[in-house]
Structure formats: structure tokens, C-alpha cells
Amino acid sequence: MTRVLRTPIFAANWKLNHGPTDARAFMQRFLQQVPRVDDRSLLIFPSALSLAAVVDAIKDRPDVIVGVQQVHTESLGAFTGENSVVIARDAGARAVLVGHSERRHLFGETDEATGRKMRLALDARLIPMLCVGETLAEREAGATEHVVLRQLEAGLSALSVAEVSQVVLAYEPVWAIGTGRTATPADASAIHGVLRGALRSRAGDRAGHIPICYGGSVNRGNVAELLAAPDVDGVLVGGASLDADGWSAIVRTEVAH
Ligand code: PGA
């Protein structure tokens, strides 16, 4: 399993878009425009039905990692319609999103479920990307830190210190997802710093190597300044990752180290 991803991380979350035909066309165009990279990590989270198309497209591109957007809290069994960490791994996935806000808010994913999924993901040798973030109401109530720390603790609750250092985090304020409203680099940095502090108390010095990505209306215009902010180690991008040319431009962003 890829233990520590090279930063910066550029992760595309296609959500419920791009079937296999579109995914193949996207990958062909994207891979043409983005030659093999070794100074950043590229991840793509397609729909599970398009996973095979992306896996096939990247067979000669070990620098691109493909993942699934969601898995069930059980690995195998009588759970009609669900995705499994074991099946995802067998199908070529190497990463998984856990606790994306759409899963939490539209599909009722609980903190407890995220903890279980993180455990299963590591057992299946998938890189888990744990998403945390507050709603607008929580932010306005001054509860941002409380919410993200609660989500972080729940997500990591079943992991050992060594395992905690294998995860990737994504801070995605819910009010910034798909809304065109981006957190400022300073806003993002402040919460990333809070998350880093909590990781430090769990994992000590290893916490410095855990990537913390920012997500929420990231686009070509704001990606460079977000990546330049302290403690922002990558981006998780929805809408602006759907167009192959636009996404290619984003992943080629010059990053000040
Ligand atoms: P967005 O989505 O970039 O469209 O805001 C980000 C995400 O939900 O991961």
C-alpha cells in the first residue's frame, strides 16, 4: 500500500458523473496533457461503475491512483447495492473517500460508521481519505472546531498510532461545497492547524506527515493560493475536476514549497 502520498495531493471527486464512456474519454485527454509526475499525487474518485474504465486507462501510469467514493461498513455479505472495501481493492481501487459531507448529510452516514469504514479501508490496504467539515449553521454557531474534531476523533477511533499516520484528511466546509463560496486560504489554514494539532496529540511527530487537503469550490483561479497556505497539503475537487482540460490545468498548478 502507498503509505505516505507525495504532496501536494490533487484529488478529483467526480461524484455521480461520468459513466464509463465519458471516463475513458476524460482519461485519454487528461493523460495526454499530464505527463507522469513525481512531485505530486494524483487521485481520481469516479463512480464505482466507471472504476474499471479508469483502472484500465491508468495501467501504464502508476503515478495516478484511483479510488471509490463510498464503501459499506461490512466487507462482504447480504448488503444489496453496497460497495465493499474488499471488492473495490480487487477491482483496482487503491483509495477510498470516507465521510464525505454528501454521505453524511444526504445519506445519514454517522460518525460511528466513518470509524468502522476507516478500519476496513486500512485492513483492505486502501488509502482512506477522511472528510470532515462543518455546515453553515454550525459555523455561524461558532462550533466549527468542535464539529471537525469530533468527526476526526470518530474517524480515527479504531486506528493505532501507526495506522493514523497512513490516512489522508480532507477539510471540506459544507457551505463551500458546490456553492462557489470558497473558504479563504486563512480560514482553511486555521482549521487545518487545528486538525494538525489534534493529529499531533494522537500520533506525535508522525502527524507532520499526514496530508490535510482542502475541498470546497476549488478551481483554477484559487487553487494556487489555497495550496500556498500553511498546512494545506492538497485539494479535493468536485465540480472543477469534471472537465479534462480544466482538471489538467489544475493538477499542473505551480506550487510554492
Ligand atoms: P466542489 O466539491 O469542488 O464541487 O465544491 C468538493 C467535494 O465535494 O469534494
Side-chain angles (χ1 to χ4, degrees), residues 11-13 15 97 100-102 131 172 176-181 215-219 236-241:
N13 173 12
K15 308 189 180 186
L97 293 178
H100 187 276
S101 70
E102 284 147 22
C131 305
E172 296 205 306
I177 296 181
T179 59
R181 262 184 84 179
S217 296
V218 174
N219 58 41
L236 176 57
V237 184
S241 74

Side-chain angles (χ1 to χ4, degrees), residues 51-168:
L51 184 71
V54 178
V55 168
D56 184 54
I58 61 170
K59 57 182 185 300
D60 298 322
R61 287 291 300 263
D63 58 321
V64 183
I65 293 171
V66 64
V68 287
Q69 301 170 7
Q70 134 74 2
V71 285
H72 187 48
T73 48
E74 300 291 333
S75 293
L76 296 170
F79 305 104
T80 302
E82 290 292 338
N83 287 337
S84 142
V85 286
V86 172
I87 294 174
R89 170 85 203 182
D90 186 23
R94 294 292 175 263
V96 56
L97 293 178
V98 176
H100 187 276
S101 70
E102 284 147 22
R103 298 305 314 174
R104 292 180 191 268
H105 298 291
L106 300 176
F107 300 100
E109 181 158 319
T110 61
D111 284 344
E112 190 194 351
T114 64
R116 172 108 183 109
K117 293 176 185 190
M118 293 294 287
R119 171 76 267 146
L120 290 179
L122 287 176
D123 289 344
R125 293 176 295 124
L126 296 176
I127 301 163
M129 189 182 249
L130 175 66
C131 305
V132 301
E134 82 286 6
T135 63
L136 185 59
E138 288 164 340
R139 185 174 190 84
E140 286 173 344
T144 299
E145 289 189 18
H146 172 77
V147 170
V148 298
L149 289 175
R150 190 200 73 221
Q151 293 172 337
L152 179 70
E153 285 309 316
L156 303 182
S157 58
L159 308 187
S160 69
V161 169
E163 287 169 335
V164 167
S165 56
Q166 295 172 27
V167 312
V168 177

Side-chain angles (χ1 to χ4, degrees), residues 12 17 150 171 235:
N17 296 289
R150 190 200 73 221
Y171 169 55
V235 285

